Amino acid sequence: MKTFIYRIITKLKAEIKNPQGEVVENIVKRLSISSDLKVNTGKFYEIKIFDDNLENANKKIEKISKEILTNPLIETFEIISIEEYR
Amino acid sequence: MKACVINFLGSNCVDETAQSLLKAGFFVDIINQNETNLERYNLIVLSGGFSWGDYVSCGRIAKFSPVISAIKEKIKQKNSFILGICNGFQILCEANILLGALLENENQKFISRDVDLIFKNKTFKLPIAHHQGRYYIDDIDKLKDCDLIKYQNNPNGSYYDIAGLYDKKNKVMGLMPHPERNYITPFKGEDGKIIFDFIKEELK
Amino acid sequence: MKLYQKLNISDFLYQKIVEKLKREPNDFETYLFSAMHSEHCGYMHSKKYINDFYKENNYENENSGCIRLKDHCIFFKIESHNHPCAIEPYQGSMTGIGGIVRDILSLGAKPIALSNSLKFGSLSELKTKYYIDEITRGISDYGNSIGVATITGETIFDKKFNNLPIVNVLALGIIEEKDIKLSSAKSDNLIILLGSKTGVDGLNGASFASGVLDENSSRQSVQIGDPYTKKRLIDAVIEINKLKEITACQDLGASGILSSTSEMAYKGNCAVELYLEKVHTQIESIKPEEIMLSESQERMAFTIENSTEAIEKFDKIAKKYELDYSIIGKTKKGNTYEVYYNDKLLCNLDLGVLCEPYLFDLEKKEPKKLEIFNKKSNLEQFLSMISDDNFSSKEFIYSQFDQEVQGRTSFSQKENSIGILYLKETESFIALLNQTVLDINSKKAVYSAFMSSYRKLVSFGFDFRGITNCLNFANPENKEVQSDFRVAVDELKRLSFLYKIPIVSGNVSFFNEINDEKIPPAVTLGCVGVCENKNRIIKSKINKNDKIYILKNKDEIKSKEIIFNLLENKKVKKVISIGRFGLVGSLLKETLFYDLGFKINYQNYFEQYQKDYVLITDKVLENAVLIGEVIDDKIIFDDISFEKEKIKDIYFNKLTEKMK
């Protein structure tokens, strides 16, 4: 049995108004750090999967990300890293 | 007529919702998320609360419950009414039983207050109490088969001022305001009756 | 440095422990004493003074006391969570709610209402805004999620709290008296721990809360709240406590497993054997002393009859709510506290020595009489009132709290300064309010808070029935603080006997100071009133041309009868008791709610907490003094006139704007 560590980010789709992002945009502008920026926010998950091979583990992660971590109408996910734990 | 209220782990408006249904003239059972036999119920209610703590997203985890599959089957038989209040509405959207999704409120805060609503040309007042009640739909035309419950003064940034919707074809209603709260409590008024009366009319 | 010194036990207290124990404690025992003989657990500076209030057999020796209503008991208690909130305001306020709810729950009562008393620094400080945001969010996320309505509260801004916010939270619950479970254990029972895994979060919070904060106070001793587990725990405990096999129930708060198991046994005159390897834990590497002192949240302890049938019943309920549990020990005859870890005996202590810390004496001096100079003009007082943030509506805070979940709330902070619940169980109404008056004279502070609460309850048609109190003070080693504390307690005692209002529960929070900045004495009262006559509760709209009267209050009890009579016979629309901003301030809050102003002519416009009542009515009243009427768009008193719209904006919108 191997251990695979996935790091996943979920975020609101770009076309949906993101109030948290807007707050950051506004404060950055007010502090004159930058006048032109776009901020999106999301959540970070670190998931350990115990499986014999990477392919199976990948399938499980796809399913978890699609069905539990996100609602496809409003959110997207991105697997930002996969690591085999030794 | 017989109704049931589903007590998901973490639901917290089950008792008062059941009391309201009793007052509205239903026989009421409280069932849990593992129940799959909904045969005997005319009305199935998903109450407010924080199912599974709303920890990933509001209503997200509840959609994997056996009772949700049973509800989907029940809708096909076209002999019942499904009502989702607050967290119940969020669950119905997450489970794709109703269209759209509920996002975090525009001010990013929990909002607990009374709101003025309009539904089928009737105006009335009900309380809202939610953190994730900003209704979102990518295309309003998708709701052409739905009657809309609208805010008169949008409190949370909902698209098209939508506080709730009624899918006429499938007889499924979801709404963020709490009709049960303005119905059974002394001095709170009885505007919640408008929703319960509508359901009884639809079930005739 | 010796271990006891590292654990903040003073040389003096260590000597006292050695004397009682007749030997030096071993290291493990030293850990236990550092927690049990801390101010937070042991009430060492206050215990001698807080036990002889007026009482009516209200279970006041339990985790929370109660008042009785027919065959039901209404349990309520207020508690401070100041130190955790100063360090980590979001988790601190969450676990504050979690903790106070457990005190109600441990008796088996269903929590049905929450309230809070929050004292923040000046709103011109950036830090204050941070504290307000985080503490409000913590109460909101936790209280709303566990499904208990926050029906009322008070918020006070004062620059003396700039670096140390005061967070007092109150929970109220209901239970049929026959179902109550007490916290004294019986011998030859098993001890069960239910709920979250024991972890290293909130390690030794008790001794942390018993010291003066400095800038290096760490976040490690802060606990993490889990409202979803708490919601399941609430439902499970109510069900479990109905099992006849359960003999006692106790929550795990300060000093976790240690204080809950030792106190249950000490109260029940029996001995304890604990096996720490049986405790379900968060991490494997946790040490025995960490298991004992951990303040991980969402845990409850029970003693249960030693039978397979009893455990099966318990197991069934725990499984239904998906909660973990472990059988961690047993009670037996005797008076010892024995702890084992993998068969190794770690301690064998006399429960009396462990549970009875040394108690200090506090000095008391007569409070100085203060004379008030520089009498301001009416105009000056009005301007200073509207520029005071304390005057404006705190809606931006309370609108984040679910005020109606459970469907019992007849009136909440949305419309009233007190919360009113309908209890279907007893067909009666109860009212809840929090009141603190800040005054450097702690006797005057307690008097004003007590009497204004009394009158506020009367004005809504309620009999004052019980009090819980939270005494927030600075370092009790300071003589002035000692005296302020004793003066406040004596005044509360005097009033509770005079008006026969039982003090059913309470909490003392000392060491509220940071970097030599002391908080002023802050005595928070949580007051409960009862109304069994629905006719006495009035909900009617105030209109233009309604008359404003003053009812002279020469005798509190007689005035109460007169007001109850006026309410029952619908002779008045609204009765107002006078608060912090005097007659003008109290009247303004009422009329602005209906978008109206007033015109009055009287003398005493701004005297705080004055005893007379204000009546608003569309009828003609005898035996009351007509002082003016409700008008449309102006505030007129004396020869001063203001536009209502301007005041309305200040009242409703100022704080929301300031928080941006």
Side-chain angles (χ1 to χ4, degrees):
Chain A
M1 192 74 86
K2 293 171 183 167
T3 303
F4 301 100
I5 304 174
Y6 290 81
R7 294 191 177 84
I8 301 158
I9 288 177
T10 69
K11 56 189 182 190
L12 278 181
K13 284 182 176 170
E15 67 266 29
I16 293 174
K17 178 183 163 72
N18 181 335
Q20 285 185 37
E22 283 176 14
V23 166
V24 179
E25 285 167 21
N26 291 338
I27 188 78
V28 169
K29 283 174 194 164
R30 209 165 79 204
L31 297 174
S32 310
I33 300 169
S34 167
S35 56
D36 194 15
L37 76 162
K38 180 82 191 128
V39 179
N40 200 352
T41 61
K43 281 186 179 169
F44 171 79
Y45 296 87
E46 189 175 273
I47 300 179
K48 282 184 193 148
I49 296 269
F50 308 99
D51 207 306
D52 293 329
N53 68 65
L54 182 64
E55 205 179 320
N56 275 344
N58 280 344
K59 275 183 198 153
K60 289 177 185 170
I61 277 294
E62 277 288 315
K63 195 168 162 66
I64 292 169
S65 302
K66 265 188 194 146
E67 293 179 14
I68 302 174
L69 305 187
T70 58
N71 174 346
L73 182 67
I74 49 173
E75 290 156 316
T76 58
F77 69 91
E78 190 184 338
I79 298 168
I80 54 170
S81 78
I82 308 171
E83 220 180 290
E84 194 183 329
Y85 186 74
R86 285 171 212 277
Chain B
M1 274 188 296
K2 198 142 189 180
C4 65
V5 184
I6 305 165
N7 190 8
F8 295 96
L9 279 178
S11 293
N12 63 28
C13 302
V14 174
D15 289 350
E16 61 268 36
T17 305
Q19 278 175 49
S20 297
L21 296 169
L22 270 176
K23 186 175 173 181
F26 290 90
F27 294 100
V28 187
D29 285 344
I30 293 172
I31 62 172
N32 75 19
Q33 68 266 3
N34 299 320
E35 183 63 57
T36 50
N37 183 0
L38 303 175
E39 210 47 49
R40 53 193 176 278
Y41 301 116
N42 310 92
L43 170 63
I44 296 156
V45 183
L46 297 83
S47 81
F50 288 71
S51 55
W52 282 269
D54 283 347
Y55 280 175
V56 179
S57 186
C58 297
R60 177 77 46 87
I61 307 298
K63 72 175 173 184
F64 302 103
S65 308
V67 74
I68 295 294
S69 320
I71 288 174
K72 287 180 176 168
E73 285 306 309
K74 182 86 175 161
I75 289 170
K76 289 181 194 154
Q77 296 165 19
K78 307 224 178 260
N79 58 1
S80 61
F81 192 106
I82 317 291
L83 172 67
I85 302 168
C86 199
N87 196 233
F89 184 24
Q90 293 163 340
I91 296 168
L92 290 175
C93 288
E94 281 290 334
N96 281 323
I97 294 172
L98 280 175
L99 292 165
L102 292 141
L103 300 161
E104 188 184 30
N105 294 341
E106 200 163 49
N107 71 355
Q108 301 161 70
K109 288 184 166 52
F110 193 95
I111 305 175
S112 168
R113 64 180 174 92
D114 294 335
V115 292
D116 291 307
L117 298 162
I118 183 157
F119 176 52
K120 301 214 155 239
N121 299 321
K122 277 198 185 111
T123 60
F124 53 104
K125 203 189 271 289
L126 290 177
I128 54 167
H130 59 244
H131 194 268
Q132 203 172 319
R134 179 165 53 114
Y135 183 78
Y136 169 79
I137 184 89
D138 47 354
D139 180 1
I140 186 76
D141 286 343
K142 287 185 180 170
L143 298 180
K144 62 182 188 308
D145 286 334
C146 292
D147 289 332
L148 302 179
I149 304 170
K150 287 194 166 195
Y151 297 112
Q152 296 193 43
N153 232 324
N154 195 337
N156 56 15
S158 285
Y159 285 60
Y160 311 103
D161 299 329
I162 290 172
L165 49 130
Y166 176 51
D167 172 351
K168 289 180 278 196
K169 248 168 54 193
N170 292 316
K171 293 200 176 162
V172 181
M173 176 187 269
L175 75 168
M176 289 313 294
H178 287 270
E180 79 282 9
R181 294 187 182 180
N182 281 17
Y183 188 44
I184 51 164
T185 318
F187 300 102
K188 289 300 290 180
E190 295 212 339
D191 281 5
K193 190 170 186 292
I194 290 167
I195 301 293
F196 297 115
D197 281 350
F198 175 78
I199 294 170
K200 285 195 278 187
E201 203 54 46
E202 288 295 288
L203 278 170
K204 265 184 188 165
Chain C
M1 205 179 189
K2 295 215 164 118
L3 178 64
Y4 78 84
Q5 289 165 325
K6 280 189 205 155
L7 296 173
N8 284 329
I9 305 178
S10 69
D11 292 340
F12 174 78
L13 281 176
Y14 188 72
Q15 270 317 309
K16 293 285 165 200
I17 291 165
V18 173
E19 276 169 32
K20 275 182 111 176
L21 203 59
K22 300 189 185 78
R23 62 172 169 89
E24 299 244 348
N26 67 30
D27 281 0
F28 183 78
E29 290 166 342
T30 306
Y31 276 102
L32 307 195
F33 281 113
S34 78
M36 291 299 282
H37 291 205
S38 67
E39 190 64 40
H40 194 58
C41 280
Y43 280 70
M44 294 147 79
H45 281 90
S46 57
K47 210 169 192 171
K48 284 192 173 173
Y49 307 101
I50 52 171
N51 280 326
D52 47 355
F53 292 115
Y54 177 74
K55 284 163 191 171
E56 291 176 351
N57 187 20
N58 313 91
Y59 294 101
E60 58 277 340
N61 295 324
E62 289 296 323
N63 289 298
S64 155
C66 73
I67 57 169
R68 287 181 176 78
L69 263 183
K70 293 179 181 163
D71 48 1
H72 281 73
C73 286
I74 311 297
F75 281 90
F76 56 100
K77 185 179 180 182
I78 191 165
E79 202 166 67
S80 64
H81 229 227
N82 308 335
H83 289 77
C85 289
I87 303 298
E88 168 50 60
Y90 176 66
Q91 293 296 342
S93 56
M94 285 233 274
T95 54
I97 303 285
I100 194 62
V101 164
R102 281 195 309 269
D103 280 332
I104 303 300
L105 183 63
S106 59
L107 288 127
K110 181 180 170 63
I112 58 171
L114 295 169
S115 73
N116 54 64
S117 169
L118 311 174
K119 284 125 190 145
F120 295 115
S122 154
L123 262 176
S124 53
E125 296 283 320
L126 210 58
K127 203 168 171 184
T128 300
K129 292 183 189 176
Y130 163 72
Y131 277 132
I132 294 175
D133 269 338
E134 293 294 285
I135 288 169
T136 309
R137 189 165 66 89
I139 296 174
S140 166
D141 281 359
Y142 202 96
N144 299 347
S145 180
I146 60 171
V148 186
T150 301
I151 61 171
T152 189
E154 65 167 351
T155 306
I156 292 173
F157 305 106
D158 191 308
K159 62 178 189 307
K160 297 195 185 85
F161 302 111
N162 275 356
N163 294 310
L164 186 59
I166 297 296
V167 178
N168 295 169
V169 288
L170 182 154
L172 180 147
I174 186 168
I175 184 170
E176 235 186 297
E177 187 155 16
K178 66 173 179 51
D179 291 337
I180 290 173
K181 276 283 148 65
L182 301 182
S183 61
S184 38
K186 286 202 177 77
S187 62
D188 303 311
N189 279 186
L190 298 175
I191 302 172
I192 298 192
L193 183 65
L194 173 75
S196 290
K197 296 184 181 83
T198 297
V200 290
D201 55 317
L203 211 55
N204 216 358
S207 55
F208 154 69
S210 306
V212 175
L213 290 173
D214 62 41
E215 278 174 349
N216 300 319
S217 296
S218 73
R219 288 178 178 236
Q220 279 166 14
S221 44
V222 168
Q223 312 95 331
I224 306 296
D226 176 0
Y228 169 54
T229 300
K230 176 54 69 53
K231 167 72 173 113
R232 288 176 291 145
L233 196 61
I234 291 172
D235 294 345
V237 170
I238 291 172
E239 241 177 276
I240 287 168
N241 273 353
K242 289 200 172 127
L243 298 176
K244 64 176 192 316
E245 291 88 350
I246 295 290
T247 49
C249 174
Q250 170 76 40
D251 76 299
L252 276 80
S255 304
I257 292 178
L258 166 63
S259 79
S260 64
T261 54
S262 60
E263 279 167 14
M264 275 164 109
Y266 189 53
K267 278 187 193 170
N269 287 317
C270 55
V272 168
E273 269 180 33
L274 289 183
Y275 321 110
L276 295 185
E277 72 282 359
K278 309 255 194 213
V279 175
H280 54 294
T281 56
Q282 193 83 47
I283 50 170
E284 275 175 34
S285 59
I286 191 165
K287 296 181 196 134
E289 61 270 22
E290 291 175 330
I291 296 176
M292 293 300 287
L293 301 189
S294 163
E295 295 185 4
S296 290
Q297 294 291 294
E298 337 304 354
R299 297 178 300 164
M300 297 289 284
F302 303 85
T303 54
I304 185 168
E305 285 172 13
N306 190 352
S307 75
T308 322
E309 197 196 349
I311 300 299
E312 272 170 10
K313 284 186 191 172
F314 189 99
D315 178 81
K316 203 176 156 201
I317 299 173
K319 286 223 170 77
K320 175 174 159 192
Y321 293 102
E322 299 183 3
L323 291 167
D324 295 332
Y325 72 92
S326 43
I327 300 170
I328 63 167
K330 63 182 185 193
T331 56
K332 58 183 187 183
K333 291 191 182 64
N335 59 356
T336 52
Y337 191 72
E338 298 162 34
V339 182
Y340 297 85
Y341 189 63
N342 292 331
D343 294 330
K344 190 182 163 212
L345 179 68
L346 300 177
C347 83
N348 186 345
L349 287 168
D350 181 284
L351 272 167
V353 177
L354 183 62
C355 296
E356 295 283 1
Y358 177 81
L359 300 181
F360 291 93
D361 291 314
L362 303 186
E363 271 183 33
K364 182 185 164 187
K365 298 175 280 188
E366 271 315 298
K368 277 175 255 155
K369 287 218 168 75
L370 296 161
E371 295 196 21
I372 299 159
F373 300 106
N374 93 58
K375 180 110 177 82
K376 287 185 193 161
S377 73
N378 280 333
L379 179 63
E380 282 167 333
Q381 293 199 71
F382 186 79
L383 294 175
S384 104
M385 173 181 84
I386 58 174
S387 66
D388 188 335
D389 291 332
N390 287 294
F391 167 72
S392 292
S393 164
K394 320 292 189 311
E395 194 195 349
F396 76 103
I397 291 179
Y398 65 75
S399 65
Q400 295 180 50
F401 308 144
D402 191 334
Q403 296 153 45
E404 284 149 345
V405 59
Q406 293 191 24
R408 297 167 179 272
T409 314
S410 286
F411 298 91
S412 69
Q413 235 170 336
K414 285 178 195 171
E415 54 263 301
N416 272 349
S417 49
I418 68 176
I420 297 177
L421 292 180
Y422 177 67
L423 302 182
K424 54 185 186 300
E425 293 88 343
T426 59
E427 296 178 329
S428 46
F429 292 85
I430 58 169
L432 178 63
L433 72 91
N434 285 344
Q435 181 73 275
T436 313
V437 173
L438 296 176
D439 194 304
I440 42 172
N441 178 340
S442 65
K443 179 176 178 174
K444 198 176 150 204
V446 169
Y447 180 81
S448 302
F450 187 100
M451 291 316 300
S452 61
S453 302
Y454 184 100
R455 292 177 201 128
K456 200 179 251 183
L457 287 168
V458 167
S459 71
F460 285 95
F462 284 74
D463 270 311
F464 196 170
R465 286 284 301 278
I467 294 185
T468 177
N469 65 87
C470 192
L471 308 163
N472 306 274
F473 285 81
N475 188 340
E477 286 146 15
N478 177 307
K479 296 270 187 257
E480 215 163 298
V481 174
Q482 293 187 359
S483 184
D484 283 345
F485 176 79
R486 287 204 48 195
V487 166
V489 168
D490 284 351
E491 180 65 357
L492 189 55
K493 220 173 271 181
R494 182 183 76 83
L495 291 164
S496 74
F497 276 95
L498 183 62
Y499 289 96
K500 297 209 166 12
I501 314 290
I503 311 277
V504 307
S505 59
N507 161 249
V508 180
S509 169
F510 277 130
F511 297 103
N512 290 294
E513 53 181 88
I514 185 165
N515 304 336
D516 286 336
E517 266 178 62
K518 290 182 174 46
I519 64 151
V523 176
T524 310
L525 301 183
C527 304
V528 172
V530 173
C531 172
E532 308 209 59
N533 179 351
K534 192 180 174 188
N535 288 328
R536 212 189 286 146
I537 299 174
I538 290 184
K539 185 182 190 180
S540 56
K541 197 176 173 301
I542 293 170
N543 293 315
K544 195 178 156 184
N545 299 332
D546 283 349
K547 298 285 177 273
I548 302 167
Y549 289 86
I550 289 279
L551 179 77
K552 288 284 181 188
N553 177 9
K554 295 186 192 102
D555 177 311
E556 300 289 347
I557 312 278
K558 274 188 197 142
S559 299
K560 179 172 94 173
E561 281 162 18
I562 294 169
I563 284 167
F564 282 7
N565 209 295
L566 289 168
L567 290 167
E568 282 165 28
N569 294 306
K570 309 279 178 261
K571 292 271 178 60
V572 284
K573 287 184 165 184
K574 182 85 204 173
V575 180
I576 304 169
S577 63
I578 295 173
R580 174 172 181 173
F581 292 102
L583 170 64
V584 171
S586 298
L587 201 49
L588 253 179
K589 289 182 184 189
E590 215 52 60
T591 54
L592 287 179
F593 186 79
Y594 295 99
D595 197 9
L596 292 164
F598 58 81
K599 180 182 177 183
I600 53 170
N601 205 336
Y602 195 53
Q603 48 281 344
N604 223 347
Y605 291 113
F606 289 100
E607 189 196 329
Q608 294 188 315
Y609 310 108
Q610 53 182 291
K611 64 201 293 197
D612 297 339
Y613 290 94
V614 184
L615 312 173
I616 300 182
T617 180
D618 53 2
K619 308 221 165 42
V620 176
L621 298 182
E622 288 161 21
N623 305 323
V625 187
L626 181 65
I627 61 160
E629 63 178 349
V630 177
I631 59 173
D632 229 357
D633 52 5
K634 284 202 161 45
I635 316 293
I636 305 173
F637 62 99
D638 209 7
D639 49 3
I640 298 166
S641 171
F642 278 90
E643 291 299 321
K644 180 199 69 192
E645 281 307 315
K646 227 171 140 182
I647 311 295
K648 198 177 134 192
D649 187 50
I650 289 169
Y651 182 70
F652 286 109
N653 303 328
K654 183 169 85 177
L655 298 191
T656 314
E657 285 302 315
K658 274 198 168 184
M659 283 298 289
K660 275 180 186 163

